[in-house]
Amino acid sequence: MSEPFSVPVTVRGYETDTQGHLNQSVYLNYAEHARWSLLQAAGIRQAELVADGVGPVALETTIRYRRELLAGDEVTVSCAFEWGEGKTFRIRQVVTKADGTVAAEIDAVGGLMDLTERRLVPDPRQRFRKLAAEPELFGL
């Protein structure tokens, strides 16, 4: 199995809290950035999703903080989709420091919403396969 998709991020000073740690809400921004970067790398642009009448939605997110991140830290944020049956999928993400230390683990449950019906599409895998130039980035 190949390595999961990942993007580099540098922790910026304005993202830290009064203790000098990366603010907890910014981990969600990093995770979202990695997910949208994966979509783009797979050949899916936001405008194409809207034109196809769908949009990704987050249904549940859990963050496990393992080690602190400080301004200037270089990290990678991975993104791996896991498919089951039905309307939802899991996204496993790991924020890893340059020395290999895991700073955080982010697990999310997502779906693909039909923007007209305002309901999840019944088979998001099929829709991602249709839209993606490189569906293997989604594990498809």
Side-chain angles (χ1 to χ4, degrees), residues 63-85:
I63 304 173
R64 284 175 296 287
Y65 304 99
R66 300 293 187 200
R67 294 289 183 272
E68 67 183 2
L69 290 177
L70 306 172
D73 283 348
E74 302 285 337
V75 301
T76 58
V77 183
S78 68
C79 188
F81 279 65
E82 294 180 0
W83 303 95
E85 298 300 319

Side-chain angles (χ1 to χ4, degrees), residues 35-115:
R35 291 191 298 266
W36 280 104
S37 294
L38 185 152
L39 285 168
Q40 186 172 9
I44 301 173
R45 305 281 187 257
Q46 191 170 16
E48 293 165 339
L49 289 168
V50 172
D52 198 54
V54 295
V57 292
L59 302 170
E60 175 184 313
T61 304
T62 302
I63 304 173
R64 284 175 296 287
Y65 304 99
R66 300 293 187 200
R67 294 289 183 272
E68 67 183 2
L69 290 177
L70 306 172
D73 283 348
E74 302 285 337
V75 301
T76 58
V77 183
S78 68
C79 188
F81 279 65
E82 294 180 0
W83 303 95
E85 298 300 319
K87 300 176 182 182
T88 63
F89 47 86
R90 290 197 169 276
I91 305 171
R92 307 266 187 210
Q93 297 183 264
V94 180
V95 180
T96 307
K97 297 169 82 166
D99 68 2
T101 302
V102 172
E105 297 167 321
I106 303 161
D107 292 324
V109 175
L112 200 56
M113 180 181 282
D114 180 308
L115 299 176

